[in-house]
Amino acid sequence: MINLSTRAEKLAAFDRLLTIMDELREQCPWDKNQTTASLRHLTIEETFELSDAILEGDPDEIKKELGDILLHIVFYARIGSEEGNFDMKTMIDALCEKLIRRHPHIYGDVKAEDEEAVKQNWEKIKLTEKGNKSVLGGVPKSLPALIKAMRIQEKARGVGFDWEEKSQVWEKVEEEMQEFKAEFNVADEKEIDQEKASGEFGDLLFSLINYARFIDINPEEALERTNKKFIKRFQYLETAAKESGKTLSEMTLAEMDVYWNEAKRK
């Protein structure tokens, strides 16, 4: 554990970062040439690297990746100031005002007794702020589909559109499963309607994500943990096969299953 810094030390460290950013922007050929557009894909990459570190539970990596994201925020603020659009102060001021405005139960006289009430207030206030005609208007179009489904469901819940009991959600999962089966589980001689089957599969996934939300499971995180587990076991399989003088392409599925089951036991 580190010794926690004082407020003055934190401010001094942030001031140092701003100074370094100014120096890099003015003197480094690479930093000089960056724009908000050129930084965009790098910011996305850094965000996923932070996600990996969080899933691995590695505090040192989390600290490093958070630092990288902070660098990007400072970078965007510097570019914004050069273009006369915003700077670090105006960006932080806008954030502070938004936080105060969206927490009327702290900075006003609104009552919010639990987390769910806070979320509902947040979504209602957000809707009036942005002038969105739809509650779902604030969901980014470019979000990955699984995460987008989560956010759509959360926002709908924020205005009271949700199931009352988890048993109702599970009934919907089973209903969608049967509809999906009806599309792909057809007679051998009949061609599968790929478009309809794909639509039913999407409905099934959406209902499973909904159920996961109801029982406090993050489906994106759960799937990524399974991805990592599969990678680890498959790489064990590859290594074990190589040590036995074989390649996977030369092995039968039964032979591979022996090493796969070893990986599961380990």
Side-chain angles (χ1 to χ4, degrees):
M1 293 289 293
I2 64 168
N3 293 323
L4 296 180
S5 306
T6 65
R7 176 62 65 90
E9 289 171 333
K10 294 173 185 175
L11 293 173
F14 189 62
D15 182 67
R16 182 187 179 202
L17 175 59
L18 292 176
T19 299
I20 292 173
M21 182 72 258
D22 289 341
E23 292 170 347
L24 294 178
R25 186 66 174 171
E26 293 163 7
Q27 300 175 36
C28 173
W30 185 87
D31 290 279
K32 282 182 182 180
N33 287 332
Q34 300 314 303
T35 65
T36 53
S38 70
L39 289 174
R40 175 181 172 274
H41 74 282
L42 297 175
T43 307
I44 293 171
E45 182 180 335
E46 294 295 353
T47 303
F48 279 109
E49 289 179 358
L50 172 62
S51 176
D52 286 344
I54 291 172
L55 287 176
E56 293 295 333
D58 188 331
D60 287 337
E61 279 299 304
I62 293 173
K63 178 183 71 174
K64 181 177 78 69
E65 299 302 341
L66 283 172
D68 290 342
I69 290 177
L70 178 57
L71 169 62
H72 280 239
I73 293 171
V74 171
F75 213 146
Y76 286 121
R78 167 69 195 219
I79 295 172
S81 67
E82 293 170 359
E83 296 173 347
N85 297 323
F86 58 88
D87 61 14
M88 184 59 70
K89 178 185 181 302
T90 59
M91 184 178 71
I92 292 176
D93 285 345
L95 172 61
C96 290
E97 292 303 320
K98 180 173 70 174
L99 290 173
I100 292 171
R101 192 168 57 248
R102 292 190 187 176
H103 288 80
H105 54 290
I106 302 297
Y107 301 102
D109 55 6
V110 173
K111 300 295 183 183
E113 302 297 336
D114 55 28
E115 181 182 354
E116 191 58 39
V118 172
K119 287 181 179 179
Q120 290 184 7
N121 283 338
W122 181 282
E123 292 298 340
K124 289 175 184 176
I125 296 168
K126 187 175 181 180
L127 189 61
T128 59
E129 284 176 352
K130 293 195 171 185
N132 288 326
K133 294 181 180 179
S134 170
V135 170
L136 306 181
V139 179
K141 296 178 181 179
S142 59
L143 273 180
L146 194 151
I147 300 175
K148 185 186 291 186
M150 292 166 54
R151 294 297 294 132
I152 288 171
Q153 293 169 6
E154 288 168 354
K155 285 184 173 294
R157 180 178 178 81
V159 292
F161 186 77
D162 202 6
W163 302 93
E164 294 179 350
E165 304 291 338
K166 68 178 181 180
S167 59
Q168 297 172 311
V169 190
W170 186 249
E171 286 176 7
K172 184 64 175 175
V173 171
E174 293 181 323
E175 175 189 326
E176 297 295 353
M177 174 64 81
Q178 291 304 316
E179 291 180 4
F180 175 54
K181 286 179 67 176
E183 289 302 327
F184 80 81
N185 193 23
V186 296
D188 291 341
E189 66 274 9
K190 184 179 178 182
E191 185 176 349
I192 294 175
D193 186 328
Q194 292 290 343
E195 184 174 348
K196 288 186 68 176
S198 177
E200 295 298 347
F201 185 67
D203 291 345
L204 175 59
L205 278 179
F206 193 85
S207 63
L208 279 169
I209 291 167
N210 217 353
Y211 188 73
R213 177 179 59 83
F214 240 79
I215 58 175
D216 294 323
I217 290 176
N218 184 310
E220 197 280 333
E221 181 177 315
L223 180 58
E224 181 57 15
R225 290 187 184 278
T226 296
N227 289 339
K228 289 180 178 293
K229 180 170 60 178
F230 183 92
I231 290 170
K232 188 174 182 179
R233 290 176 180 176
F234 192 82
Q235 288 175 341
Y236 176 91
L237 167 61
E238 289 177 310
T239 300
K242 186 176 180 180
E243 289 175 350
S244 66
K246 299 178 181 179
T247 62
L248 296 185
S249 59
E250 298 170 339
M251 299 171 66
T252 65
L253 183 57
E255 289 174 323
M256 287 190 280
D257 275 342
V258 172
Y259 294 125
W260 183 265
N261 290 326
E262 282 183 11
K264 289 172 67 175
R265 289 194 296 270
K266 290 179 180 294

